[in-house]
Amino acid sequence: MSYGQPPNGPHGYAQQPGGPQYQPPQPMTPEDQRLWSTLTHVGGIFFSFVAPLVAYFVLRDRGQFVREHTRAALNFQITMAIADAVGVITSWLGIGLLILLAVRVLTIVFSILAAVAANRGQLYRYPVAIEFVKA
């Protein structure tokens, strides 16, 4: 009983036995899953693999639809990041500049197509993506 604290803690509440209980994440509505899937694909255009990575870890347990879209976006953006690195490394040869241009165009075009599909409630498979993250 030091410093004038009540016997049951600083606010008078006793600690519950076992501590706080884990609450599994609540599933999202289909509309929310479509929204977050769309935002994940668009976020990949601006933030590379970071946006899909964060979305995958935060949203993957909130619904099957959003899990598939965040996984697909993450795989595609990782693939594009690798291609981008190859373009940077080979840029002194001249071919790297073409690779960098192709990566930018593919990222924009395929991410927009994926975002439109997600907004419609359809699954989308990127045509050029290595599957690093499995289902």
Side-chain angles (χ1 to χ4, degrees), residues 28-123:
M28 287 194 285
T29 64
E31 294 81 20
D32 286 343
Q33 289 188 55
R34 287 197 317 262
L35 171 68
W36 283 106
S37 297
T38 302
L39 291 175
T40 300
H41 293 295
V42 172
I45 295 172
F46 299 105
F47 302 109
S48 185
F49 67 90
V50 176
L53 179 68
V54 170
Y56 180 74
F57 282 122
V58 171
L59 302 172
R60 67 181 172 191
D61 295 330
R62 304 288 306 271
Q64 188 63 30
F65 184 78
V66 75
R67 174 191 297 239
E68 285 303 313
H69 272 279
T70 55
R71 185 186 65 78
L74 179 58
N75 285 328
F76 175 70
Q77 292 298 335
I78 291 172
T79 302
M80 291 297 102
I82 292 170
D84 195 50
V86 169
V88 168
I89 292 169
T90 60
S91 64
W92 65 277
L93 294 172
I95 189 75
L97 299 176
L98 293 175
I99 293 172
L100 291 172
L101 178 63
V103 166
R104 301 295 188 268
V105 170
L106 289 176
T107 299
I108 292 169
V109 170
F110 289 144
S111 294
I112 290 173
L113 290 174
V116 169
N119 197 33
R120 290 181 180 160
Q122 303 167 343
L123 292 177

Side-chain angles (χ1 to χ4, degrees), residues 5-16:
Q5 295 291 329
N8 290 332
H11 302 291
Y13 299 106
Q15 172 111 16
Q16 297 295 320

